Amino acid sequence: MSETDTHPHQGQPVSTAGTPLEEADAAVILLHGRGAMATGILELGGQLAIDNVAYLAPQAANNTWYPYSFMNHISTNEPHLTSALQLVDELLTKIADAGIPPENTALIGFSQGGCLACEYMARNPKRYGGLAGLSAGLIGPRGTPWDYEGDLEETPVFLGCSDSDPHIPLDRVEETTKILTDLGADVDERIYRSMGHTVNEDEIDAVRELVANLVA
């Protein structure tokens, strides 16, 4: 088995925007959805129009963080999921090495990327600048205990989703809110009626406020 087979996302390109990392006061890791491109979600940084923030958007191998639904048994999505979580960890280390601490760093993701962001933060709890999971939830089949330990120390979390999302069951969003709250996060969950699998202006405003607070 080759290195690419066991660590598919390591060495993938990372697109950047905003203030250069070495000059920024805060950083945001943007995680794209299944079949999408890093450059697509990087446009979100431009929409937010907040100064002194570095945006980093890694590209998933073959445009997909893991091959099956986030509600499949976790083993079916390996080694891709572990590789993706490791990539997020590597980026956080790079950001910290540039002088930006976790409390000034946010994870933002849509759909598959949002699930990855939620899962990373639940597995690695401490005080972060924020988390936004757009049409997203924790990873695993129904009945997953998510018995993670630690303290998110009131990390602000925004979870936005439709009540009729074809990919993200409403009860998974509610479970995610409970687990992250139990881990000490300050969760703002907003459920939108009949929105489908997309992002609306209210969510963009919530994300803008979350990122603005990183440099306030």
Side-chain angles (χ1 to χ4, degrees), residues 9 30-38 40-41 58-74 76-78 80-81 84 108-117 134-137 139-140 165-168 197 199:
H9 302 303
L30 295 163
L31 299 168
H32 66 77
R34 181 192 297 272
M37 300 289 291
I41 196 165
Q59 178 63 51
N62 298 317
N63 307 333
T64 302
W65 293 113
Y66 37 88
Y68 299 106
S69 165
F70 80 119
M71 296 191 67
N72 271 33
H73 195 283
I74 287 174
T76 66
N77 279 316
E78 295 291 14
H80 301 78
L81 176 57
I108 298 173
F110 171 68
S111 190
Q112 196 180 61
C115 297
L116 180 61
L134 307 171
S135 300
I139 295 172
D165 190 308
H167 303 289
I168 313 294
H197 194 64
V199 178

Side-chain angles (χ1 to χ4, degrees), residues 5-87:
D5 291 332
T6 55
H7 300 90
H9 302 303
Q10 272 55 60
Q12 286 292 108
V14 179
S15 298
T16 60
T19 303
L21 185 59
E22 293 73 16
E23 302 171 15
D25 295 326
V28 175
I29 297 174
L30 295 163
L31 299 168
H32 66 77
R34 181 192 297 272
M37 300 289 291
T39 50
I41 196 165
L42 198 61
E43 294 175 1
L44 177 61
Q47 291 183 52
L48 301 179
I50 299 171
D51 294 333
N52 301 321
V53 177
Y55 299 94
L56 295 85
Q59 178 63 51
N62 298 317
N63 307 333
T64 302
W65 293 113
Y66 37 88
Y68 299 106
S69 165
F70 80 119
M71 296 191 67
N72 271 33
H73 195 283
I74 287 174
S75 64
T76 66
N77 279 316
E78 295 291 14
H80 301 78
L81 176 57
T82 294
S83 174
L85 292 167
Q86 181 182 336
L87 178 58

Side-chain angles (χ1 to χ4, degrees), residues 33-34 69-71 109-115 133-137 142 159-174 190-200 203:
R34 181 192 297 272
S69 165
F70 80 119
M71 296 191 67
F110 171 68
S111 190
Q112 196 180 61
C115 297
L134 307 171
S135 300
R142 283 195 163 86
L159 297 177
C161 196
S162 173
D163 65 349
S164 57
D165 190 308
H167 303 289
I168 313 294
L170 177 57
D171 61 354
R172 178 54 54 94
V173 180
E174 294 169 341
R190 302 185 196 179
I191 304 300
Y192 304 94
R193 186 175 180 181
S194 303
M195 182 176 75
H197 194 64
T198 186
V199 178
N200 66 23
E203 291 178 291

Side-chain angles (χ1 to χ4, degrees), residues 108-194:
I108 298 173
F110 171 68
S111 190
Q112 196 180 61
C115 297
L116 180 61
C118 291
E119 188 68 25
Y120 180 88
M121 208 163 275
R123 292 190 187 200
N124 301 276
K126 58 179 147 184
R127 183 60 161 87
Y128 297 90
L131 162 66
L134 307 171
S135 300
L138 287 168
I139 295 172
R142 283 195 163 86
T144 299
W146 297 298
D147 51 356
Y148 302 131
E149 297 182 356
D151 191 350
L152 284 164
E153 301 178 43
E154 299 185 351
T155 293
V157 173
F158 174 77
L159 297 177
C161 196
S162 173
D163 65 349
S164 57
D165 190 308
H167 303 289
I168 313 294
L170 177 57
D171 61 354
R172 178 54 54 94
V173 180
E174 294 169 341
E175 287 177 301
T176 301
T177 292
K178 181 181 185 309
I179 296 298
L180 295 179
T181 300
D182 289 348
L183 283 168
D186 180 10
V187 183
D188 177 4
E189 177 197 293
R190 302 185 196 179
I191 304 300
Y192 304 94
R193 186 175 180 181
S194 303

